[in-house]
Amino acid sequence: MKRTDTQHIATLAHIPINNDQDKDLTAAFNETLETIKTLQEVKVGGVEPTHQVTGLENVYREDEVHKDTMFTQDQALKNAHRTYQGFIVVPRILEK
Amino acid sequence: MNAQNPSINRRTEAYTLICGMEVHAELKTASKMFCGCTNNPFFAEKPNTHTCPVCLGMPGGLPVANKTAIEWTIKLGLALGCDINLFSKFDRKHYFYPDLPKGYQISQYDIPFCTGGAVETSHGPVRLTRIHLEEDTAKMIHATLDGEKVSMIDHNRAGVPLVEIVSEPDVTSPAQAAEYGRNLREIMRYLEIADCDMEQGGMRLEANISLQSTEQAERGQLPEYKVEVKNINSFRFLENAISHEVERQGEVLDTGVLPAQETRGYNSTKDITFTQRAKEDAADYRYMPDPDLPPFQFAQSQIKEWQHQLPELPGSVRTRWSDTYGLNNQALKMLVVNAEQTAWLDSVFALAEKQGILPKKIAAALVNKQLEINPESTPESVLKTYQKQTASSSVDAQQLSTTIQKILTQHPDAVAKYQAGETQVLGFFMGQAMRVVGNNADAGQVRVEIERQLKQL
Ligand SMILES: [Zn+2]
């Protein structure tokens, strides 16, 4: 992985990082990838991909409203850092 | 670039539009896609009142798929001639944005419910790539609070079932793109699975637009780039946005440069498109099967049953009513709206024929609102109302007698003629009387009364 990859990931995550940080992070990412690389030595030819591990299938719910599990507006906003007239408020990301 | 150079126009015309569509529509189920919260984001009284641990992405919230939303998605696919994947699943699509409380959107990646199929347009069919089901994101309103630019988030929309219909790049003109969108909206409304309210964002349009040069067309090559125009909320804006892009990209290509691969928004007020963000690759989304949602295995018999439950589609209804009853385009456009109404009108038309009334007359009465379109009312009552409206109305006997008496007194000459055997003056008296009592009056009743009074004189 290159430093430009780290910068790309930072952009996607909207996390500002400086030059020193991207150098350190790139090194850390590479260390992790090196460890995970061991997995690539395992021969998986002919093995079906695993979509899930529970063995369950066709788990549905009927299309019904359950008022009892719904939050009040106060409950929904309880963990928000900032609110305004019932909305959760965050810094603007998309600049037009 | 010299704008006066006529060769520039010629070159721009030498490009062929290559356009694929992505249409999102919110399904109108009672509850959300993966939780029991109310699905009614446009009519919620207040923001953030239709939420729970699942759609707010709280730790421990376990999503469970809405059976009806899956059934409707597959029925839409069947109506559009898609192949249905008997094995399917939900995947997590990761990206960071405040409209996504979990940090990922539950969507479908490599095995959508439906693949293939087509939407017919008057410019030719537009093939479909796939139809998949996902959850809608929270709604964001961009505002300035205390001088700071912020986004205000409402989660009433988060987790609403959303179908995404992806087409092949078969669209060759802005007008065809709009027709494609309208036809999709018609089918979804007809199946009564989505309201497709464009203004509210219940149906959203995206176009992937690029231009193919004559050389590429000759070699059968597709353009090496595409520009995605997002968040278009009307068919007119869609046409405008595509026209604008054709012009813009043509100008860029004329200078020998490839237009940037990017996502653009459309500004309807200025009629321009603008850069929104650099496109993320599929790898950036880190798709993975959602471990919270076990996969689905459908029986062929189940798919057959759903196919069987599909109503006759609007195009076929229009042809049938035009051929059997001679209904005109205006009537067909107004009356073919949803399956329930079609079934009701079919029984109204059938009964009308039985009673010797032309169904197209009933259709005309419904179109000009003389009759009410109301599937709750019985066909019998509709025809009774129609007959009452068109039957000659009887006139109050006393009023009629007085009216005719007056006319006869005012025209002694005509009365004399009648008594002398010139019975054709009866027509004159009829005309006078009808003018007073109204043209809807029962002419027979009026005539009888005139003759009765004349004989008594
Ligand atoms: Zn919920």
Side-chain angles (χ1 to χ4, degrees), chain A residues 8-9 12-14 50-52 54 56-67 69-77 79 82-96, chain B residues 29-33 35-38 46-53 64-68 87 89 96-98 141-143 145 148-153 155 280 284 289 294-298:
Chain A
H8 178 62
I9 290 169
L12 293 178
H14 306 288
T50 302
H51 292 297
Q52 50 122 12
T54 58
L56 293 170
E57 237 174 33
N58 299 349
V59 178
Y60 305 103
R61 35 175 285 273
E62 294 300 322
D63 180 25
E64 284 163 2
V65 173
H66 290 285
K67 295 263 182 207
T69 54
M70 284 167 67
F71 286 141
T72 63
Q73 193 190 56
D74 282 347
Q75 288 171 325
L77 300 179
N79 294 325
R82 187 177 170 192
T83 62
Y84 180 75
Q85 292 184 348
F87 289 91
I88 293 171
V89 177
V90 297
R92 179 100 56 98
I93 284 175
L94 182 76
E95 285 290 332
K96 280 195 183 170
Chain B
T29 49
S31 64
K32 287 187 178 180
M33 185 60 229
C35 61
C37 287
T38 307
K46 292 175 191 167
N48 293 304
T49 48
H50 300 168
T51 68
C52 73
V64 185
N66 184 329
K67 198 175 180 178
T68 304
F87 176 82
K89 64 186 171 74
F96 296 101
Y97 207 63
I141 298 170
H142 303 295
L145 289 184
E148 190 195 343
K149 287 188 168 179
V150 297
S151 296
M152 309 203 302
I153 306 168
H155 290 85
E280 293 178 44
D284 293 332
F296 303 98
Q297 184 73 55
F298 304 107

Side-chain angles (χ1 to χ4, degrees), chain A residues 32-44:
Chain A
T32 309
L33 288 171
E34 203 56 42
T35 310
I36 289 172
K37 218 173 162 184
T38 348
L39 280 176
Q40 287 178 334
E41 287 160 23
V42 182
K43 301 228 177 323
V44 291

Side-chain angles (χ1 to χ4, degrees), chain B residues 261-388:
Chain B
Q261 173 115 353
E262 61 180 353
T263 300
R264 295 175 78 85
Y266 176 68
N267 182 326
S268 57
T269 341
K270 293 185 192 158
D271 190 21
I272 53 159
T273 62
F274 57 92
T275 303
Q276 256 191 343
R277 64 177 158 127
K279 181 94 184 115
E280 293 178 44
D281 289 330
D284 293 332
Y285 287 129
R286 290 161 291 131
Y287 279 105
M288 59 172 268
D290 193 318
D292 286 342
L293 291 155
F296 303 98
Q297 184 73 55
F298 304 107
Q300 190 65 57
S301 57
Q302 171 68 82
I303 306 295
K304 271 203 185 126
E305 194 189 320
W306 282 333
Q307 172 96 55
H308 187 72
Q309 287 169 3
L310 279 184
E312 181 186 7
L313 296 173
S316 159
V317 175
R318 277 193 295 264
T319 311
R320 184 165 59 80
W321 284 356
S322 161
D323 291 352
T324 346
Y325 301 133
L327 261 55
N328 62 27
N329 281 338
Q330 189 205 3
L332 292 170
K333 203 173 161 189
M334 223 189 111
L335 298 178
V336 183
V337 174
N338 59 51
E340 188 198 8
Q341 187 170 313
T342 296
W344 178 72
L345 286 172
D346 263 328
S347 49
V348 172
F349 292 157
L351 187 66
E353 274 207 314
K354 222 168 158 189
Q355 298 186 357
I357 301 165
L358 283 177
K360 76 174 175 193
K361 291 206 165 162
I362 300 290
L366 289 162
V367 169
N368 65 32
K369 302 207 164 67
Q370 185 187 327
L371 285 175
E372 193 196 356
I373 299 176
N374 176 15
E376 304 278 291
S377 60
T378 64
E380 287 77 13
S381 73
V382 175
L383 290 165
K384 220 177 188 175
T385 311
Y386 178 78
Q387 277 169 328
K388 226 185 259 167

